[in-house]
């Protein structure tokens, strides 16, 4: 029985099996890394980057919603499932320490599978990450007909800049290069379960 199967089978109690949370996350990331094509189709990456540059918060989300509807049906349903789960994790950030921002940094390379040897990819790293962060934060708007959640601060209303990354930006890119591979499967001393109700 694979770890990925355990991840999606709600009848399995991972806590009782003493499987580290990051082992399950690593199995999930490895699964997406082995797919012939990324979950987010390459053909839509340019549109997502352009959408991330839109200054108006509401308009940006509306355009992203139009783009996600262009996903192939299977990609859409799997993406919806993954983003819904990441949204639930972010709601437990006081316990998991994983905010939508942190989760998007960890998962955008897995979901988009960029070519980090391409300089154009490096220049849009923050934009790509912000797209996934928006999907996580606004999960109910994108997939369940919910309302847009207003950003908690003014800094959340403007898209990130693609250029002029500076030393901090280059450091971020270097740290993201390692995220192309699943994290090491190391045991955790403290693990907190997420709510057990199945995703809908």
């Amino acid at each position: 029985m694979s770890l990925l199967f355990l991840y999606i089978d709600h009848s399995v109690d991972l806590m009782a099996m003493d499987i580290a949370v990051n082992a399950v996350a690593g199995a999930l990331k490895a699964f997406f890394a082995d797919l012939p094509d990324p979950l987010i189709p390459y053909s839509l990456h340019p549109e997502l980057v352009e959408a991330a540059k839109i200054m108006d918060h509401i308009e940006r989300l509306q355009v992203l919603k139009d783009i996600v509807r262009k996903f192939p049906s299977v990609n859409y349903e799997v993406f919806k499932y993954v983003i819904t789960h990441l949204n639930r994790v972010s709601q437990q950030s006081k316990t998991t320490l994983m905010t939508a921002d942190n989760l998007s940094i960890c998962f955008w390379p897995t979901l988009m599978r960029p070519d980090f040897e391409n300089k154009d990819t490096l220049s849009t790293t923050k934009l790509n990450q912000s797209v996934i962060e928006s999907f996580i934060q606004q999960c109910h708007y994108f997939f369940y007909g919910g309302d847009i959640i207003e950003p908690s601060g003014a800094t959340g209303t403007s898209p990130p800049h693609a250029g002029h990354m500076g030393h901090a930006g280059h450091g971020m890119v270097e740290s993201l290069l390692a995220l192309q591979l699943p994290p090491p499967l190391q045991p955790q001393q403290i693990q907190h379960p997420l709510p057990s109700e199945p995703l809908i």
Side-chain angles (χ1 to χ4, degrees), residues 79-163:
F79 185 67
K80 172 183 174 180
Y81 189 99
V82 171
I83 292 298
T84 299
H85 176 69
L86 295 180
N87 176 270
R88 288 173 55 202
V89 174
S90 71
Q91 292 181 33
Q92 304 294 324
S93 60
K94 289 185 178 180
T95 300
T96 64
L97 304 181
M98 295 301 288
T99 62
D101 178 63
N102 290 338
L103 289 165
S104 64
I105 290 173
C106 291
F107 276 91
W108 84 261
T110 298
L111 300 176
M112 301 185 76
R113 299 247 300 274
D115 178 8
F116 281 110
E117 295 183 359
N118 186 320
K119 64 179 181 180
D120 292 334
T121 297
L122 297 180
S123 68
T124 58
T125 293
K126 186 60 181 175
L127 292 171
N128 289 327
Q129 183 240 316
S130 73
V131 165
I132 301 304
E133 182 180 7
S134 293
F135 281 123
I136 296 172
Q137 289 178 332
Q138 306 291 342
C139 171
H140 294 284
Y141 167 72
F142 287 118
F143 302 112
Y144 301 101
D147 295 328
I148 292 175
I149 300 174
E150 291 300 321
S152 57
T155 56
T157 60
S158 299
H161 297 288

